[in-house]
Amino acid sequence: MPTFTLISAEDPFETVVAKAEAAIRAGFIADYLAAGNPIDRAYIAYEVALYDAANPDEQPLMDEIRGLHLPAAA
């Protein structure tokens, strides 16, 4: 369920927005990793595609999800 965040005068707006964006992106990644079957993963991938389309100035989240399956660089 969506929640609203009250922004106080002490918090710079950009910091609050950056934290919210990071939480949303982390939530998508956590949901993808927690998906138990291919149908759930496909649905989350669809949601991520919508998110990427709505945020063209950001690094594509789908690239991060695809990177989860690549070996870590040394």
Side-chain angles (χ1 to χ4, degrees):
M1 172 180 279
T3 59
F4 292 102
T5 302
L6 181 61
I7 301 172
S8 68
E10 292 84 31
D11 291 334
F13 180 71
E14 293 83 13
T15 303
V16 173
V17 171
K19 287 180 182 177
E21 282 292 323
I24 290 169
R25 293 173 74 88
F28 277 130
I29 292 171
D31 289 346
Y32 182 82
L33 292 174
N37 61 54
I39 293 173
D40 290 341
R41 283 196 175 191
Y43 180 73
I44 294 166
Y46 169 73
E47 287 184 331
V48 168
L50 292 177
Y51 174 83
D52 285 344
N55 297 291
D57 296 336
E58 298 287 327
Q59 176 184 358
L61 183 57
M62 187 56 75
D63 288 350
E64 291 183 38
I65 289 176
R66 285 186 190 119
L68 294 172
H69 302 291
L70 300 176

